[in-house]
Amino acid sequence: MVIKTVVQDKSLIESQVSAARFSPLTRQVLAATGPIISSAAAGMTNGFSAILLPQLQRPESSIQITSDQSSWIASMAPLPMAAGCLLGGFLMEKFGRKVTHLVLNVSFAVGFCVLSMASSYDMILAGRFITGFSCGLIGPPASVYIAETSHPKYRGILLAGVTFAVSFGIFISHLFGTFFHWKMAALYCSFFMAVSYLFVALCPESPSWLLSKGKTGEAEASFRWLRGHDADALKEFQDMASSYSPAGESQEPKPTLLQNISKKEFVLPLLILLVFFFTMQFSGVNIVAFYSISLMQTTIGSNINEYLAMLIVDLVRVITSLVACMLLRVVGRRPLAMLSGCGTTISLAGLSIFLYFQTSIPVYQNLSWMSLIFLISYIIFVGIGLFPLPWCMSGEIFPVATRGIGSGLTSSFNFISFFVVIKTGPSLFAAFGTNGTFMIYGIISLLGALVLYMILPETKNRTLQQIEEAFRSGWRTSESKTPVPGPTEQSKA
């Protein structure tokens, strides 16, 4: 297949953003910024119930709620996330990654505005439902768009920016809720969506999606805007474009959807991510975010202010997510996953054991700060691997023909698990106690880490085409990876 250079598109793009002022890396970061800010809104949604529920439960609250209504307010956001993921996967394949991001920014803003104007329990549920549905929408396109617009050398750190943004969003919502009424906090959260919309509007569509629609000229212009004009970038684009054949050029019929999802290059990544997302959710990663205040009261008692402890944990989560971005730049996916799984298991088991003795032996009641240390250790270990890695890999291990449906299905499964964990959390705490529940999460983390050790491949420094070919040939986790060369000096200029 011969790829023709579209001179007018190249000139147009280069006139919009001067190559002398903005390097390809700067443009890739710019393209990732919109989805990353949108992901922060997902974090705000996840963390909002932690500051909303305590304020609603105060005697002076204008909206009075029961304990059952409190549970529904917390779980109403995860409830529609799975459906949002499926719709997000469909929209990104039908209308493009960029258009889908513009739509979900509007959806997020509407949801937060409904919350800010809520005057009844039903309106709160409606706002939580809309923001939760928007979280589902952001699931598939964020990771896919970043993976498709970034160089393999930078893909890990930019994808990790999504989970950093989620952690930062949780911290921001808790910070707003600590100092402002929950209605004002919701309004302030909506402002982020206008910024995200602007960044997305300024950036091009994914080159991979444009090629899949036969728009070769637009795809090349988009690719060069993102990656520059050096020889390595040209070769990568030609390799990418060669996997697409315009209608009529190939005598072979186009594979059906059923045929595509039956191939091993789709089935293997699907199974890997289902295990990864299950392990991540059922290790309790979102329980701490959703029930922060009540968990702090139970875990550390009255010796430490629970709001201060919550913000400390949030800051640790944000810093850990930032560290994870750096680690994904230099460390492979497999060793990071194993370190995270083992550390999470040890932290949860330690927290569970200490809480048991704390409630059984009086001398331990004055050492509640140790519970906070165990909790912080848990946040650190889960934050460097189990939390960011499945989101990173969902944008890079599916073949391009099924990337939308694959990321949509796995993200949907993640949010179904999310809902189950949040809805069953209070029941588990009531039935097994806080210490017993943390031990259950620790056991699941251990089993998940063992399974991932056997099935998780290494994708660091591979192009998306190399990853797809590797799965097609039956990827083994013990395979040595073939790194791609980094950007040349011309592409860095």
Side-chain angles (χ1 to χ4, degrees):
M1 178 180 178
V2 178
I3 308 298
K4 298 180 180 179
T5 303
V6 184
V7 178
Q8 63 271 28
D9 287 338
K10 169 183 169 182
S11 301
L12 173 62
I13 294 297
E14 290 302 311
S15 66
Q16 292 176 338
V17 180
S18 171
R21 293 183 58 192
F22 298 102
S23 68
L25 175 58
T26 302
R27 301 180 201 179
Q28 292 167 46
V29 172
L30 181 65
T33 300
I36 287 175
I37 296 177
S38 298
S39 299
M44 295 173 196
T45 300
N46 293 347
F48 198 77
S49 63
I51 56 98
L52 171 62
L53 296 179
Q55 292 192 32
L56 290 176
Q57 290 164 350
R58 292 173 182 170
E60 67 273 15
S61 173
S62 60
I63 304 175
Q64 294 295 318
I65 59 172
T66 64
S67 58
D68 183 64
Q69 289 175 328
S70 174
S71 173
W72 275 110
I73 289 174
S75 57
M76 183 54 66
L79 182 62
M81 288 180 183
C85 281
L86 295 177
L87 180 60
F90 169 77
L91 291 176
M92 64 183 277
E93 290 299 330
K94 181 70 174 178
F95 302 105
R97 285 58 160 146
K98 179 175 178 176
V99 171
T100 304
H101 275 101
L102 294 175
V103 170
L104 66 88
N105 282 329
V106 174
S107 177
F108 259 129
V110 170
F112 281 120
C113 286
V114 170
L115 277 174
S116 70
M117 297 183 293
S119 57
S120 66
Y121 168 69
D122 292 336
M123 284 190 70
I124 293 175
L125 289 183
R128 293 286 289 163
F129 186 92
I130 296 172
T131 53
F133 186 78
S134 303
C135 285
L137 286 178
I138 188 63
S143 297
V144 170
Y145 180 76
I146 293 174
E148 291 179 346
T149 56
S150 57
H151 190 281
K153 184 177 180 181
Y154 308 120
R155 191 173 64 228
I157 189 172
L158 291 177
L159 283 170
V162 171
T163 49
F164 167 75
V166 173
S167 299
F168 184 73
I170 293 173
F171 169 70
I172 287 296
S173 66
H174 288 174
L175 188 65
F176 286 163
T178 301
F179 296 103
F180 303 106
H181 189 272
W182 60 268
K183 289 187 177 182
M184 290 303 299
L187 182 62
Y188 293 151
C189 288
S190 69
F191 294 158
F192 284 79
M193 309 324 301
V195 179
S196 176
Y197 190 98
L198 179 62
F199 273 101
V200 174
L202 292 174
C203 294
E205 180 56 85
S206 159
S208 297
W209 183 81
L210 291 169
L211 281 172
S212 70
K213 299 303 178 182
K215 302 178 180 180
T216 306
E218 294 179 42
E220 183 175 3
S222 173
F223 189 87
R224 294 206 179 278
W225 189 91
L226 292 160
R227 305 290 289 277
H229 295 264
D230 65 288
D232 288 341
L234 175 61
K235 183 180 184 304
E236 185 177 346
F237 179 77
Q238 289 176 333
D239 291 341
M240 183 194 305
S242 65
S243 62
Y244 297 88
S245 297
E249 184 171 314
S250 174
Q251 298 301 318
E252 297 182 4
K254 184 178 180 180
T256 64
L257 177 61
L258 182 60
Q259 290 173 327
N260 280 328
I261 64 176
S262 300
K263 296 177 180 178
K264 66 174 64 176
E265 58 264 35
F266 175 81
V267 175
L268 291 177
L270 180 68
L271 292 176
I272 290 168
L273 284 180
L274 290 180
V275 172
F276 219 146
F277 275 122
F278 180 89
T279 304
M280 183 257 281
Q281 289 295 346
F282 283 89
S283 66
V285 64
N286 284 302
I287 282 289
V288 178
F290 265 64
Y291 297 106
S292 293
I293 299 297
S294 58
L295 274 178
M296 292 303 164
Q297 292 171 340
T298 303
T299 304
I300 65 177
S302 58
N303 295 331
I304 303 176
N305 181 275
E306 63 270 18
Y307 281 90
L308 175 61
M310 176 186 68
L311 292 178
I312 291 173
V313 169
D314 287 344
L315 278 174
V316 170
R317 185 187 290 111
V318 171
I319 295 171
T320 301
S321 298
L322 187 60
V323 171
C325 294
M326 302 297 108
L327 289 176
L328 282 169
R329 176 73 174 82
V330 296
V331 181
R333 282 34 164 182
R334 277 179 58 79
L336 203 55
M338 296 307 102
L339 173 64
S340 177
C342 293
T344 297
T345 300
I346 293 172
S347 298
L348 286 171
L351 178 58
S352 173
I353 294 171
F354 182 79
L355 284 174
Y356 172 77
F357 284 110
Q358 184 180 358
T359 56
S360 303
I361 304 176
V363 69
Y364 284 99
Q365 294 178 0
N366 296 323
L367 300 176
S368 57
W369 57 270
M370 291 188 66
S371 296
L372 185 59
I373 291 178
F374 277 114
L375 193 59
I376 289 174
S377 172
Y378 163 70
I379 294 295
I380 291 173
F381 279 110
V382 79
I384 63 172
L386 290 183
F387 185 48
L389 281 173
W391 289 114
C392 293
M393 298 186 74
S394 67
E396 63 182 10
I397 66 175
F398 284 110
V400 67
T402 52
R403 194 165 290 152
I405 187 173
S407 58
L409 285 173
T410 51
S411 299
S412 180
F413 173 80
N414 168 71
F415 286 123
I416 291 174
S417 301
F418 189 170
F419 172 75
V420 172
V421 170
I422 297 303
K423 189 60 180 171
T424 60
S427 299
L428 286 176
F429 287 128
F432 300 100
T434 305
N435 62 296
T437 302
F438 280 133
M439 182 60 76
I440 292 172
Y441 292 151
I443 293 172
I444 294 175
S445 173
L446 175 61
L447 295 176
L450 292 175
V451 175
L452 288 172
Y453 176 78
M454 294 183 288
I455 66 174
L456 186 68
E458 184 57 73
T459 60
K460 182 176 180 290
N461 286 344
R462 286 181 179 266
T463 67
L464 299 183
Q465 288 69 42
Q466 289 174 337
I467 295 172
E468 182 174 342
E469 288 296 329
F471 275 116
R472 185 175 292 119
S473 60
W475 203 339
R476 296 180 182 274
T477 58
S478 58
E479 280 186 337
S480 60
K481 66 183 188 302
T482 305
V484 297
T488 64
E489 291 303 317
Q490 180 180 349
S491 67
K492 293 179 181 179

